[in-house]
Amino acid sequence: MSALLSLRNVWVEYGEKVVLEKVNLEVSEGAFLSIIGPSGAGKSSLLRLILGQEAPTRGQVLLGGEPLEPQCGPDRGVVFQRYSVFPHMSVLGNVMFGLECPAAPIAARLFGSARRKAMGEAAAMLHAVGLGDSLNLYPAQMSGGMQQRLAIAQALIKRPRILLLDEPFGALDPGIRADMHGLITQLWRDYGLTIVMVTHDIKEAFTLGTRVLALDKRRHDPHAPHRYGATAVYDLPLRTAPAVVPPAPPQPDPNPLSAAAS
Amino acid sequence: MSALLSLRNVWVEYGEKVVLEKVNLEVSEGAFLSIIGPSGAGKSSLLRLILGQEAPTRGQVLLGGEPLEPQCGPDRGVVFQRYSVFPHMSVLGNVMFGLECPAAPIAARLFGSARRKAMGEAAAMLHAVGLGDSLNLYPAQMSGGMQQRLAIAQALIKRPRILLLDEPFGALDPGIRADMHGLITQLWRDYGLTIVMVTHDIKEAFTLGTRVLALDKRRHDPHAPHRYGATAVYDLPLRTAPAVVPPAPPQPDPNPLSAAAS
Amino acid sequence: SGGASAPAEKKTEFSIGWSIYAGWMPWPYAQQAGIVKKWEDKYHLKIKIVQVNDYVESINQYTAGKLDGVTLANMDALTIPAAGGKDTTAVILGDYSNGNDGVLLKGATNLSAIKGRSVNLVELSVSHYLLARALEKGGMTMTDVKTVNTADADIVGAFASPDVTAAVAWNPQLSVMRAQPGVTQVFSSADIPGEILDLLVVDSATLKANPDLGKALAGIWYDTVQLMMKQDASGKAARAAMAKLAGAAPETFDSQLKTTFLYTDPKAAVAAAQSPALVTTMTRVRDFSFAKGLFKGATSADAVGMAFPGGKTLGDAQHVTLRFDDSYMKLAADGKL
Amino acid sequence: MRWINWHLSKRDRLIAGGAPIVLLLVIYLVTAVQRHAANPSDKILPLPSGMAKAITDLLTTPDPLSGHLVFWADTLASLQRLGLGLGIATLFALVLGLLIGALPPVRAALSPLVTGIAVIPPIALLPILFIALGLGETSKIVLIAIGVAPVMVRDIAAHVGSLPREQIIKAETLGANSWQIIVRVALPQAMPRLIQAIRLALGPAWVFLISAEAVASDIGLGYRIFLVRRYLAMDVIIPYVAWIALLAILADLVLAATSRRMFPWAHEAAR
Amino acid sequence: MRWINWHLSKRDRLIAGGAPIVLLLVIYLVTAVQRHAANPSDKILPLPSGMAKAITDLLTTPDPLSGHLVFWADTLASLQRLGLGLGIATLFALVLGLLIGALPPVRAALSPLVTGIAVIPPIALLPILFIALGLGETSKIVLIAIGVAPVMVRDIAAHVGSLPREQIIKAETLGANSWQIIVRVALPQAMPRLIQAIRLALGPAWVFLISAEAVASDIGLGYRIFLVRRYLAMDVIIPYVAWIALLAILADLVLAATSRRMFPWAHEAAR
Ligand SMILES: Nc1ncnc2c1ncn2[C@@H]1O[C@H](COP(=O)(O)OP(=O)(O)OP(=O)(O)O)[C@@H](O)[C@H]1O
Ligand SMILES: Nc1ncnc2c1ncn2[C@@H]1O[C@H](COP(=O)(O)OP(=O)(O)OP(=O)(O)O)[C@@H](O)[C@H]1O
Ligand SMILES: [Mg+2]
Ligand SMILES: [Mg+2]
């Protein structure tokens, strides 16, 4: 099976500072890749590369065998580290936007029954992330975790071929986090998505992923800490793609408080 | 021992929406209070109350027995949920600011040896949070976790009497998170701080805190979800204040990756 | 666009620009009182009387061909349209300033006190010319004073400022400025009668193609001035209406008329146009203008040609761009309109 | 209480805001009375009685041209020109500002031109403007539009250009093309800024209107001001200017309220 | 490639930006040549040769007053007035903008006054300005300052007022008092916006300078333009206006570069 996404000897540098060096990576279709690594290692930078938001200083990023265009398309979905939603759209509007764009190229809005259908779909997704009661709020009226869930709903509704998640569950409590795990896994399985997820929760990385990649510096020059960048120090394949062996959905703990307090 | 901070029948409402209802809370000097609860329960709102950033719709907040002025002072320190640092100051400048303000009321800057001393102190704190190599970066040039650590360093350098932390370690990898735990615990013990910390990591809440408070809705009206607010559903005292029995500093796992991967 | 060579077609709609000045107020009044309509009907044409608040802009608009005719002073007719190559004909010699322009001093009663002062005036205008003539008569030269260009709309306010002690202006501003305490008029156009002329000029080509326009304009003009000079109630009402159009009180307007020598009788106007004094005046004016660099790029004062009644010319006879034409006034004098 | 946290009650805000204005009025009155004591026919600082009389005249005299009362005819004519000029400028600001701010090729092609037009003082080119557009309403409206549009265009373009890059990327992952990003992401977020830009442009727009009416007009607030300026009739000018200020402040308040009502998300403090 | 992502190379940007300007120049040239074919002494659209000649004259003729060459004397006088006027306006914008934006009591007290001054067209009240300040340099500089300062003050105040509330709270927890918050938090973050405000004010400042010089002056670019307007000498006006535009564009570029160099944090895209 040829790789959906390949990074060939990729370097990312900001001025003098080397962030990523010699990163080689092949991600096959349907994989769920967890990326872990210390803060500042370059995990978000790696996602920005795949997104086409930034170009590598050296090396190549290939998508489906083709060099990546320096722009992002609807084949990729993203949840940024800092929950970035559109501040001027209501919760429902934020999620509907992804449905309206492809359906209404000129008006960029849906009307009538098409609109009602999109609203229903968006509301269902929002219910799934637990925001069913907040459809008409603006992002500024929501808590951090609610904004993060909104960003997740916004990305999931498109069922993108490649989904890039940057610490998507960081601001969520264990209960809701478990719900989210279930949701993501189900969509991943049902639609054969390819997912690249950055997380700091090692358990999460191993439960959800079919493969775990650890980014860290191999070398460190104490007098010039910016001289060496991070690269893949571990790359652990856990399972094969879901089409072959679907992973078991994680079992959310029904009462995380009592479990931890005991 | 009289309470340092008391909330008496406090309500927080946004228009129609009741966020917190009937919250009664007494926090004694030297306590380390962990607050947990589902996303959107009102944890951040509670911190904003104590900070003096918002006034309760009903009820009273007392600090040292006095009604809280609706403004914030240097007796309180804060790390906000979204790492908010000053974008126009370098890393070092962000941390030095807290040292410069009380020392230079008019110039708002230090010069000469006082400046060098403050720089040394700030640099030491930044080393402690692992940003020793990034003193001259601007926040926009840093990763999410680095900005979060900067915000922690900024708050800690003042050793405030009351420290309010809103998911302060959410964007950190396990290794650095453990270092931060050690740092906070040590400062808490050495300076007898009173700490109120919101977290989603149940383990963290129980290891660090002397007391764990869970906020959640007691009642829920499915037809009018905004009608009832959250209140303290659990309030578990774990240990007494550190002056009496200092808690053991948590032991950071030296290699979290291998531990989790095994 | 109006070049001398541009062939003008016959047309029936014309626009004549005017700006606020005592000697030109008959034009808007004529329109208001229906006199324009009367002559329009007679010659089967339409004449739009257009107010332009800013005097210079009204001349610019005429020069650019946006207006078929305009009211202006003889000096400006020479230096703006004529020097710009636009063949221009003065159809009506309306009046001359007989005290409507004046030199004012604060704290002095004698012209000689102007020496060494800063004088606020609209530079390169008839005020400038008046100042030059005043200095000449007082045995001084332009180098004895320093001029500060001041917009005509602002000169009254400027003169109220204590640091301004000398100014040259025209009416209605002049009368307001003169009313300030401690101000004396030390020289005026009454000291050089007939040199500052107010004209109605029309594009020569247009006039040639449409001689009826000249007749209608002359008809309107003499009807109106004769009405306004009547010393009965109708004349008074006409003058009051003109005062209102100028934004002035009737008394102020009347006092301005006193310092305006209106050629109410077409015969007098024809005589003035044919008199050799006109050639003398225009020679003086063009020499002044040339010395001030108003004939852009010309090497001599003769660069602009002028033609007078009776075939007299001044300057370059090959390139006559300013013509004094007495034929329409003569028709009025002869009652043949 | 630190000054930075000292939020006044509505009543106190009114008092605090009114005080300096009242003070200025008193200073004016005192100076005017003094000047009139020295020279009873002083024209520069008229007494309120004189102004009242002058304005009553204008309020009761019909305009010879239109037959309407002068004061209202002037107001109507000026407001119409101002509205059209500002409207055109707003339209330009919105369209060009969005395109320049959002699309790099358009920015490359038009931003030097807009900067060029922005820095050319339009009053210096008044003759060309009047010659090209005639003495009618068009040239006045165009002067206002040319005078205020470039600043507004550049303001909106800068605002749109500084939208977080993440928002654009996010929209692209949601399948939005350039046009959809402009109308659904950039446009709505530019709207509150546009209203702010209009508020800031109101002052300059009046300046251009008055300049235009000073040159070629026969009706309008600016025309009247310049007409009576020849007689230094401050008793007409000052009430007219006060009336202009009042109209502009009303417009400012209405715009501010509109923005708060229509774009609540832009006025909530970010959390 | 979507337009929104289509970043041109430096070379292409120059070409794209130059094209519309060159096009306008060509249109001008063609029209001017046509007009001159019809009337060789056309004044309205002079040919480049005519403009070159007129400017050469001004470049070689000494000004009778100062003895300097007219062109440079005009430029120097105008730049000096503009610099002082803009400088004063900038100072006001900074001080008042910071105070109004940061301190609610100052906002309550001064913001209605500033709005009032912002909407009063200063050219309408020139006579009062003359009485108070005389006719010399002061009144010109003050006219520029009054003309542009209110917009700048309101812009800075709005910007400071919309700083995230968290930053203020954070600073207070770090022991900062109102003054320290103003100088260390609000001031530095207002600086890039101030530079942007100056850039936007350059156009209006020239307008007010030219108006001031048109009213009463004996030297300056605006004086010359209004003087030669008396005989429609577009061959002087157009080069003068082009020169003004060039100076203003240079100032604009310098300001933009200064902002990028001095406040790099404000120009990095937020992460
Ligand atoms: N504009 C920039 N200039 C200089 N350095 C930069 C810039 N942007 C990012 N960096 C550096 O790149 C490195 C990697 O950043 P990145 O955001 O990819 O880290 P990360 O692995 O996502 O960290 P975290 O877990 O904290 O989010 C950091 O050390 C940061 O300082
Ligand atoms: N301006 C507002 N208008 C309406 N509702 C608001 C507003 N601000 C906050 N809320 C509501 O208050 C509730 C509590 O918000 P808060 O930020 O305190 O939650 P939280 O417990 O911190 O959640 P999280 O763990 O996700 O950060 C949320 O349901 C939110 O929708
Ligand atoms: Mg990151
Ligand atoms: Mg929160």
Side-chain angles (χ1 to χ4, degrees):
Chain A
M1 191 171 76
S2 98
L4 173 62
L5 186 77
S6 0
L7 278 72
R8 304 236 171 107
N9 189 30
V10 161
W11 291 63
V12 172
E13 290 163 53
Y14 294 107
E16 285 257 284
K17 180 167 186 167
V18 182
V19 172
L20 291 177
E21 61 177 42
K22 281 190 285 186
V23 176
N24 284 294
L25 183 68
E26 307 270 308
V27 183
S28 52
E29 180 118 38
F32 194 135
L33 174 67
S34 300
I35 299 182
I36 56 177
S39 168
K43 305 180 293 298
S44 301
S45 305
L46 187 70
L47 288 196
R48 281 199 292 273
L49 281 184
I50 302 177
L51 208 47
Q53 184 179 352
E54 275 171 27
T57 333
R58 280 184 260 171
Q60 259 197 321
V61 183
L62 303 177
L63 184 70
E66 301 280 311
L68 196 75
E69 255 196 312
Q71 72 176 354
C72 193
D75 52 341
R76 277 154 285 170
V78 68
V79 174
F80 284 110
Q81 185 166 8
R82 296 186 72 164
Y83 16 91
S84 62
V85 288
F86 297 112
H88 60 289
M89 295 183 189
S90 71
V91 167
L92 194 63
N94 260 288
V95 178
M96 278 176 65
F97 185 56
L99 300 173
E100 289 175 306
C101 280
I106 302 303
R109 282 178 194 280
L110 293 174
F111 301 96
S113 68
R115 179 177 164 76
R116 277 192 299 279
K117 189 166 158 285
M119 275 175 80
E121 205 178 321
M125 179 58 82
L126 283 164
H127 269 101
V129 300
L131 292 178
D133 295 337
S134 313
L135 299 186
N136 295 317
L137 291 185
Y138 283 106
Q141 298 174 312
M142 301 206 303
S143 78
M146 290 162 82
Q147 292 185 38
Q148 197 168 45
R149 282 180 278 157
L150 174 56
I152 294 172
Q154 197 177 37
L156 288 185
I157 200 145
K158 295 281 297 176
R159 278 140 209 154
R161 196 159 157 223
I162 304 183
L163 182 59
L164 303 168
L165 305 172
D166 201 348
E167 303 182 33
F169 314 123
L172 302 179
D173 63 289
I176 291 176
R177 185 187 281 237
D179 294 350
M180 293 296 110
H181 288 175
L183 181 67
I184 287 269
T185 317
Q186 174 159 12
L187 287 174
W188 171 57
R189 216 169 19 189
D190 291 355
Y191 295 92
L193 312 182
T194 307
I195 300 185
V196 179
M197 175 180 75
V198 172
T199 179
H200 284 312
D201 185 331
I202 313 283
K203 188 155 155 268
E204 185 173 88
F206 280 83
T207 355
L208 293 184
T210 57
R211 179 177 167 193
V212 175
L213 185 81
L215 284 186
D216 205 349
K217 292 195 181 188
R218 272 240 165 75
R219 302 171 289 179
H220 189 80
D221 180 341
H223 303 297
H226 56 264
R227 231 184 107 188
Y228 298 113
T231 189
V233 288
Y234 296 83
D235 189 349
L236 310 174
L238 303 178
R239 285 158 288 190
T240 42
V244 186
V245 182
Q251 293 304 318
D253 187 336
N255 191 345
L257 284 180
S258 58
S262 64
Chain B
M1 190 172 75
S2 98
L4 174 62
L5 186 76
S6 0
L7 277 71
R8 304 237 170 105
N9 187 28
V10 161
W11 292 63
V12 172
E13 289 163 55
Y14 294 107
E16 285 258 285
K17 180 166 186 166
V18 182
V19 172
L20 291 177
E21 60 176 45
K22 282 191 283 186
V23 176
N24 283 294
L25 184 67
E26 307 270 310
V27 183
S28 54
E29 180 119 37
F32 194 134
L33 174 67
S34 300
I35 300 182
I36 56 177
S39 169
K43 305 181 294 298
S44 301
S45 305
L46 187 69
L47 288 196
R48 282 199 292 272
L49 280 184
I50 304 177
L51 207 48
Q53 183 179 349
E54 275 172 27
T57 333
R58 280 185 260 172
Q60 259 198 321
V61 183
L62 303 176
L63 185 68
E66 301 280 309
L68 196 74
E69 256 196 310
Q71 72 176 351
C72 191
D75 53 341
R76 276 155 286 171
V78 67
V79 174
F80 285 110
Q81 184 165 8
R82 298 185 71 163
Y83 16 92
S84 62
V85 289
F86 297 112
H88 61 290
M89 295 184 189
S90 71
V91 167
L92 194 62
N94 260 290
V95 178
M96 280 176 65
F97 184 56
L99 300 172
E100 289 174 308
C101 279
I106 302 302
R109 281 176 195 283
L110 294 173
F111 300 96
S113 67
R115 178 176 165 76
R116 276 192 298 280
K117 189 167 156 288
M119 276 175 79
E121 204 178 321
M125 180 57 84
L126 283 165
H127 268 100
V129 300
L131 292 178
D133 296 337
S134 312
L135 300 186
N136 296 316
L137 291 185
Y138 283 106
Q141 298 174 314
M142 301 206 303
S143 79
M146 290 162 82
Q147 291 185 37
Q148 196 168 45
R149 283 180 277 158
L150 175 56
I152 294 170
Q154 197 178 37
L156 289 185
I157 201 146
K158 295 281 298 176
R159 273 130 215 162
R161 199 161 154 222
I162 304 182
L163 183 59
L164 303 168
L165 305 172
D166 199 350
E167 304 182 31
F169 314 123
L172 302 179
D173 61 290
I176 292 175
R177 182 186 280 237
D179 295 350
M180 293 297 109
H181 288 175
L183 182 67
I184 287 271
T185 317
Q186 175 158 10
L187 287 174
W188 171 55
R189 215 168 20 190
D190 293 355
Y191 295 92
L193 312 183
T194 306
I195 299 185
V196 179
M197 175 180 76
V198 172
T199 180
H200 284 311
D201 185 331
I202 313 284
K203 187 155 157 268
E204 185 173 86
F206 281 83
T207 353
L208 293 183
T210 57
R211 177 177 168 193
V212 175
L213 185 81
L215 284 186
D216 206 348
K217 291 195 180 188
R218 272 239 166 77
R219 302 172 288 179
H220 188 78
D221 180 344
H223 302 296
H226 55 267
R227 228 182 109 189
Y228 298 113
T231 188
V233 288
Y234 296 84
D235 189 349
L236 311 173
L238 302 178
R239 285 158 290 192
T240 42
V244 186
V245 181
Q251 294 303 318
D253 187 337
N255 191 344
L257 283 181
S258 58
S262 64
Chain C
S1 65
S5 52
E9 71 286 16
K10 196 142 175 69
K11 54 181 193 172
T12 54
E13 281 195 26
F14 306 90
S15 53
I16 305 294
W18 66 279
S19 49
I20 293 178
Y21 171 70
W24 296 328
M25 294 321 291
W27 290 108
Y29 175 72
Q31 184 173 41
Q32 196 180 315
I35 302 172
V36 172
K37 176 100 185 24
K38 167 183 157 196
W39 289 93
E40 278 177 347
D41 292 346
K42 171 148 193 193
Y43 286 102
H44 307 294
L45 34 77
K46 282 245 156 290
I47 300 176
K48 236 166 66 197
I49 307 288
V50 182
Q51 177 179 6
V52 183
N53 212 10
D54 185 286
Y55 170 59
V56 176
E57 203 47 52
S58 71
I59 307 174
N60 286 347
Q61 288 287 321
Y62 165 74
T63 310
K66 295 281 161 178
L67 296 170
D68 297 301
V70 73
T71 56
L72 40 49
N74 55 340
M75 176 176 156
D76 297 313
L78 180 63
T79 57
I80 306 176
K86 182 170 175 98
D87 195 330
T88 294
T89 302
V91 183
I92 293 168
L93 210 159
D95 68 275
Y96 66 80
S97 168
N98 193 23
N100 255 345
D101 298 74
V103 181
L104 302 178
L105 289 184
K106 280 186 192 164
T109 51
N110 199 307
L111 176 66
S112 56
I114 203 172
K115 199 169 176 139
R117 292 200 193 187
S118 279
V119 184
N120 287 66
L121 49 73
V122 181
E123 283 187 357
L124 311 182
S125 71
V126 289
S127 292
H128 213 151
Y129 175 77
L130 181 73
L131 177 67
R133 295 281 287 132
L135 293 171
E136 199 176 55
K137 290 213 164 182
M140 290 174 274
T141 66
M142 285 300 287
T143 51
D144 288 324
V145 297
K146 179 169 172 285
T147 56
V148 179
N149 188 37
T150 308
D152 58 338
D154 295 302
I155 200 160
V156 184
F159 198 60
S161 163
D163 59 348
V164 175
T165 59
V168 187
W170 56 76
N171 266 328
Q173 290 94 321
L174 181 70
S175 59
V176 183
M177 291 158 71
R178 205 168 41 210
Q180 275 188 46
V183 173
T184 315
Q185 177 168 309
V186 291
F187 192 85
S188 82
S189 52
D191 300 318
I192 49 165
E195 288 192 24
I196 298 176
L197 299 165
D198 298 310
L199 316 170
L200 176 78
V201 300
V202 176
D203 178 55
S204 299
T206 307
L207 186 65
K208 203 163 169 201
N210 306 281
D212 279 356
L213 173 64
K215 294 181 193 161
L217 288 172
I220 295 167
W221 176 255
Y222 289 108
D223 265 8
T224 313
V225 289
Q226 275 154 16
L227 168 66
M228 75 185 277
M229 288 325 253
K230 281 199 189 137
Q231 291 310 317
D232 59 10
S234 64
K236 197 169 173 208
R239 289 196 301 276
M242 289 183 204
K244 178 150 257 161
L245 282 165
E251 314 81 62
T252 329
F253 186 69
D254 278 346
S255 83
Q256 287 169 19
L257 278 183
K258 287 207 182 77
T259 49
T260 310
F261 185 92
L262 264 180
Y263 290 108
T264 25
D265 181 359
K267 291 196 186 71
V270 171
Q274 292 174 344
S275 133
L278 181 61
V279 183
T280 319
T281 298
M282 289 317 290
T283 311
R284 262 203 202 104
V285 167
R286 70 152 194 184
D287 289 347
F288 170 81
S289 305
F290 177 72
K292 283 283 154 195
L294 296 184
F295 294 167
K296 294 288 293 172
T299 46
S300 91
D302 286 332
V304 180
M306 287 180 265
F308 298 90
K312 285 172 282 181
T313 62
L314 189 60
D316 188 346
Q318 300 308 308
H319 293 107
V320 172
T321 47
L322 181 58
R323 306 165 195 275
F324 288 88
D325 184 348
D326 63 346
S327 51
Y328 300 98
M329 298 185 286
K330 221 189 238 146
L331 288 175
D334 300 348
K336 291 189 181 152
L337 286 174
Chain D
M1 175 71 73
R2 243 161 270 139
W3 276 60
I4 212 152
N5 295 318
W6 183 15
H7 293 276
L8 278 68
S9 70
K10 193 150 194 170
R11 208 181 112 256
D12 289 353
R13 280 212 301 277
L14 271 181
I15 296 175
I21 293 172
V22 170
L23 188 75
L24 281 184
L25 289 182
V26 169
I27 291 178
Y28 176 87
L29 267 187
V30 170
T31 325
V33 168
Q34 277 175 354
R35 288 185 70 103
H36 277 262
N39 169 17
S41 59
D42 178 73
K43 296 194 118 183
I44 289 152
L45 300 185
L47 291 174
S49 54
M51 293 196 262
K53 194 183 157 313
I55 283 303
T56 317
D57 277 0
L58 291 173
L59 270 168
T60 49
T61 322
D63 181 54
L65 291 166
S66 60
H68 297 115
L69 299 179
V70 173
F71 183 82
W72 297 116
D74 283 345
T75 305
L76 200 74
S78 286
L79 282 185
Q80 205 166 325
R81 289 164 188 156
L82 192 83
L84 279 167
L86 259 180
I88 292 171
T90 305
L91 207 72
F92 265 85
L94 198 59
V95 173
L96 282 182
L98 279 175
L99 294 180
I100 292 176
L103 305 180
V106 179
R107 172 155 59 240
L110 293 189
S111 130
L113 185 66
V114 170
T115 308
I117 295 176
V119 298
I120 291 179
I123 354 198
L125 292 179
L126 268 189
I128 291 194
L129 198 70
F130 281 112
I131 286 162
L133 301 172
L135 290 169
E137 294 299 290
T138 324
S139 52
K140 297 178 195 73
I141 291 164
V142 168
L143 181 70
I144 298 172
I146 288 190
V148 299
V151 173
M152 293 172 75
V153 171
R154 294 177 78 196
D155 197 22
I156 299 299
H159 183 71
V160 171
S162 71
L163 284 179
R165 186 128 174 69
E166 275 77 7
Q167 280 193 18
I168 310 295
I169 303 271
K170 172 69 80 76
E172 290 184 276
T173 66
L174 296 177
N177 56 31
S178 300
W179 160 250
Q180 290 171 321
I181 291 176
I182 289 178
V183 294
R184 292 292 312 269
V185 178
L187 169 68
Q189 294 193 72
M191 285 307 295
R193 181 59 164 264
L194 185 70
I195 291 191
Q196 167 78 353
I198 300 176
R199 292 175 63 194
L200 292 181
L202 268 178
W206 277 104
V207 168
F208 286 108
L209 173 68
I210 291 183
S211 306
E213 289 183 340
V215 170
S217 182
D218 47 23
I219 196 164
L221 297 169
Y223 164 75
R224 195 76 46 201
I225 287 175
F226 269 75
L227 178 67
V228 303
R229 190 128 140 202
R230 293 189 173 85
Y231 313 101
L232 205 64
M234 297 305 291
D235 53 347
V236 173
I237 294 179
I238 290 178
Y240 259 62
V241 169
W243 174 234
I244 288 173
L246 188 72
L247 290 174
I249 287 174
L250 278 181
D252 188 71
L253 291 177
V254 168
L255 285 169
T258 309
S259 181
R260 269 197 307 277
R261 162 163 307 209
M262 299 208 355
F263 312 111
W265 52 267
H267 298 270
E268 304 246 353
R271 187 114 294 152
Chain E
M1 173 72 74
R2 243 162 270 139
W3 276 60
I4 213 152
N5 295 316
W6 182 15
H7 293 275
L8 279 69
S9 70
K10 193 152 195 170
R11 208 182 112 255
D12 289 352
R13 279 212 300 278
L14 272 180
I15 296 175
I21 294 173
V22 170
L23 187 74
L24 282 184
L25 289 181
V26 169
I27 291 178
Y28 175 86
L29 267 186
V30 170
T31 325
V33 167
Q34 278 174 352
R35 289 185 70 104
H36 277 262
N39 169 19
S41 54
D42 177 72
K43 292 189 127 186
I44 291 153
L45 300 184
L47 291 173
S49 54
M51 295 195 259
K53 197 181 157 313
I55 284 304
T56 317
D57 277 1
L58 292 173
L59 269 168
T60 50
T61 322
D63 182 57
L65 293 166
S66 58
H68 297 115
L69 300 178
V70 172
F71 183 82
W72 297 116
D74 283 345
T75 306
L76 202 74
S78 286
L79 283 185
Q80 205 166 325
R81 289 164 187 156
L82 192 82
L84 279 167
L86 257 181
I88 292 171
T90 305
L91 207 73
F92 265 84
L94 198 58
V95 173
L96 283 182
L98 279 175
L99 294 180
I100 292 176
L103 306 179
V106 178
R107 174 157 56 242
L110 293 189
S111 128
L113 185 66
V114 170
T115 308
I117 295 177
V119 297
I120 291 178
I123 31 174
L125 291 180
L126 275 185
I128 293 185
L129 205 66
F130 290 150
I131 305 297
L133 302 171
L135 222 51
E137 293 298 290
T138 324
S139 56
K140 296 182 190 72
I141 292 163
V142 168
L143 183 68
I144 298 173
I146 288 190
V148 299
V151 173
M152 292 172 76
V153 171
R154 295 177 78 196
D155 197 24
I156 299 297
H159 182 70
V160 170
S162 71
L163 283 179
R165 187 129 175 70
E166 275 77 9
Q167 279 192 20
I168 311 295
I169 304 271
K170 173 68 84 74
E172 290 185 277
T173 66
L174 296 177
N177 56 32
S178 299
W179 161 249
Q180 290 171 321
I181 291 176
I182 289 176
V183 294
R184 291 294 310 272
V185 178
L187 170 68
Q189 294 192 73
M191 286 306 295
R193 181 60 164 263
L194 185 70
I195 291 191
Q196 168 79 356
I198 300 176
R199 291 175 63 195
L200 293 181
L202 267 178
W206 276 105
V207 167
F208 286 104
L209 172 68
I210 291 182
S211 306
E213 290 183 339
V215 165
S217 180
D218 48 20
I219 197 163
L221 297 169
Y223 161 76
R224 197 75 49 200
I225 287 175
F226 267 74
L227 184 64
V228 302
R229 192 167 82 98
R230 275 205 72 86
Y231 43 88
L232 208 60
M234 298 307 294
D235 53 347
V236 173
I237 294 180
I238 290 178
Y240 259 61
V241 170
W243 175 233
I244 288 173
L246 189 72
L247 289 174
I249 287 173
L250 278 180
D252 189 71
L253 290 177
V254 168
L255 285 170
T258 309
S259 182
R260 270 196 306 277
R261 162 162 308 209
M262 297 206 357
F263 313 110
W265 52 267
H267 298 270
E268 304 245 354
R271 185 113 298 153

